[in-house]
Amino acid sequence: MALHVEVPPIPDRVSLLADVAEIVSRSHDLQETLANVIDLVGKRLDADVCSIYLTEPDLRTLTLSATIGLDPECVGQVQLAFGEGLVGAAAERRETVAIETALDDPRSRYFPETGEERYASLLAAPLIVQGVTIGVLVIQTLESRRFDPQDIGLLQTCAQLLAPVVINARLIALAASPAGERTRPEADSGGRSGTLELRGIPTMRGVAIGPVYRLEDPIDLARLDYEPSSDPAREKEDLISALADARREIDELREQVGERFGPEFAAVFYTQMQIVEDHGFVTKLEQQVEESGDALAAVRAVVDHYRKTFERIQDPYFRERGADIEDVGRRVMEKLLGVRHQSDPMQPGSVVVADQILPTLFARLEVERVAAIVAEHGGPTSHGAIFARTLEIPAITGVSALLTHAQPGELAVVDGGEGRVYLDPDAGLVAEYERAQAQYHVAIEHLDALRERPAESRDGRRIRLTANVGLLADLRLVEQHGAEGVGLFRTELLALAHRGFPSEEEQQQLYTKVCTDMAPRTVTIRTLDLGGDKGIPNVGFPDEDNPQLGLRSIRLTLENQRAFRTQLRAILRASQSGNVRLLLPMISGIGELRDTRVLIDRVRNELVRDGVPFQADLPVGLMIEVPSAALVAEALAAECDFFSIGTNDLTQYTLAVDRGNERVAHLYNPLHPAVLTLIDHSARAAQRAGIPISLCGEMATNPLAVPILLGLGIEELSGAPAAVPVVREIVRALDFGKAEKAARQALTVATADEVHAISAELLRASGLLDHPDIGDWLRSSLDAGKR
């Protein structure tokens, strides 16, 4: 138990102001002023330590500039970034930080050389001029001390008085310095020394420590700078050797992808193997290089010939295989040049650094070697980010200047929960995160051990918790985390891996495997949701100014009815296990639903005619992810079997916020009352029609959203498998009656912040913040949501 010591009476604000003013008036040297001020403040506030940290010209770094109580040798030597530790937090937030037990605070950052690890409590007030933090005034005490409002007010007064003195002294010193020393040059990523902290948008929880891996763009055959050998025979020999190397690499990739994603996802490499082993392809390469003496010219000529041949084929599936020819040509040239599609071999536990987390990224990566993914652009609910969560890979998006600073091979620490990336971290920081990593894994193991418990509120309200998946390998995560079925099976991953519409047999085999393995638990299969940021080549995507509002999802499949019917046949054939539901994405009105149902009936009749068995009572539902669908939910409910609310797009379209744009990510908030109103409208329509309703967006795993969704009557929540145990603990701690009351209250307020406050209060009252496994994370989530 913390010891609270009584402190002697402190002189009032006016007296302290007069004393500090006197110090300032009789000293024109900044260091002398700082020394006198900290001596006065330390005594008046009965502190064991008083220190001042001043901001460097970059306005992102603090340096210990004066101290009484810490080792004086550290003055000018100890530096910390804004946001680093409690002092850095005060600087970044421009708010006073008062911590009674600083030693136990997870944000604490101690420098052993200062000797400050002995001090229990900390009070830090920022020095602010024109809204800019120029320093932090800090006191520390040996014994645990609860700082009262008088303590805090006095320190803030001192900081306010000292700030103009500091800035004036800095300006004078800057004006007097030689021209070459007036500004600090921008940090060069290649010459950086010490830890660099970058911040972005938390996208997938988890901690990763590993080498940076930069994913390079594939080579461009049309623009490649290449110098052939002066010996034509050597040039031909090198090309044939590169072709053999490419063949071996394709075979290795086929095996790796098959193990990680399942044989269906390795099918694309079978096509490439057929190409590199084709006698005609090899012969044409040999003939071309003999004629030209130039391997690149030979590859270009043969690839162009094959591509034109494929383009003349009427069948779209075979026409799309032209992309494989391009891939093979690039791979051969990469081998000839001594480079790889991925510039260096990826080390196990790598931190992948990219411009954006796009869905196609996962087809290029050795996913089993990826410890984390960090992107300079994009938002936390882009489709690529959702795939990262599905694969349980810690991820951060929207990290400014990431590609400028991150160097291949350097050590990085990724804190997916806080959205922090540390490049070239020091040993102390690495050790701290290694401990956090171990604690995280222990917590997950504890929660997984309780996976058999139902998600039932204290007063008996039962809710189903299912998982969003897209790969065969994900099914083990469903089992591991205790999900009650598959609430959303994303079929587009197969199309993305194939770079085109897969065949009926390929799809049917995948769907059958998933449904059979999950039986008797329900599997909800969503038809292809392509377009927007999930484009694939050779499918005829139009060049649109705003693809998110264009030909995507159900609109695209209705335009490509042959491919759509192929998928519907595959799903119906796989439904023999009797546990399948068919889900239609992005339905905006009754017309699209009716058009789709006509197509489904035709496919059913075809299968009956051909004697192919399928689930006769297969439920057909739709996603509520367009505001118009929510507004006409009554009409839609009368003509479908279930609703599934997709809050990612529903939030995006309701708030007019591009969910992949980090510049407006702060406006994207599913707790906005407008979004909640549409959810409520949809839930009430489903209840009146007597059809089930679930929610499969990222909102389903947001701890602040769970109480509200429970109260609105949502019967099933489907999210990333890893989130299922956490949501289960939240539901079990809640009282449905109180959640229902909170949800009704949330529908009456004006802002997302007010909804946040309502839900946060309910979570606090439930005792969840003291939960041994998720309490700390929930506490940080509430704080992050409040900011």
Side-chain angles (χ1 to χ4, degrees), residues 33 84 192 205 261 284 501 508 572 724 774:
T33 301
E84 183 180 5
R192 169 174 20 97
R205 248 184 354 125
F261 299 106
K284 287 183 183 297
F501 294 124
Q508 185 263 327
L572 284 166
V724 168
I774 66 173

Side-chain angles (χ1 to χ4, degrees), residues 194-209:
T195 302
L196 175 65
E197 178 187 350
L198 300 175
R199 293 192 175 191
I201 305 169
T203 300
M204 171 58 191
R205 248 184 354 125
V207 171
I209 304 170

Side-chain angles (χ1 to χ4, degrees), residues 324-377:
D324 294 314
I325 292 289
E326 297 276 4
D327 267 2
V328 168
R330 283 193 293 264
R331 200 177 297 275
V332 170
M333 286 309 301
E334 286 166 355
K335 292 303 178 185
L336 184 63
L337 294 169
V339 300
R340 289 183 51 140
H341 185 61
Q342 298 159 344
S343 56
D344 295 307
M346 181 184 289
Q347 302 301 315
S350 291
V351 173
V352 174
V353 168
D355 181 64
Q356 293 188 68
I357 306 179
L358 296 174
T360 50
L361 181 71
F362 298 95
R364 296 176 58 189
L365 290 173
E366 300 171 75
V367 180
E368 66 280 356
R369 292 174 176 258
V370 177
I373 303 177
V374 186
E376 182 158 333
H377 299 105

Side-chain angles (χ1 to χ4, degrees), residues 264 267 317 494 498 502-511:
E264 296 79 12
Y317 177 76
L494 182 60
H498 279 247
S503 70
E504 180 179 329
E505 289 303 316
E506 288 169 326
Q507 293 185 70
Q508 185 263 327
Q509 290 173 10
L510 173 62
Y511 306 153

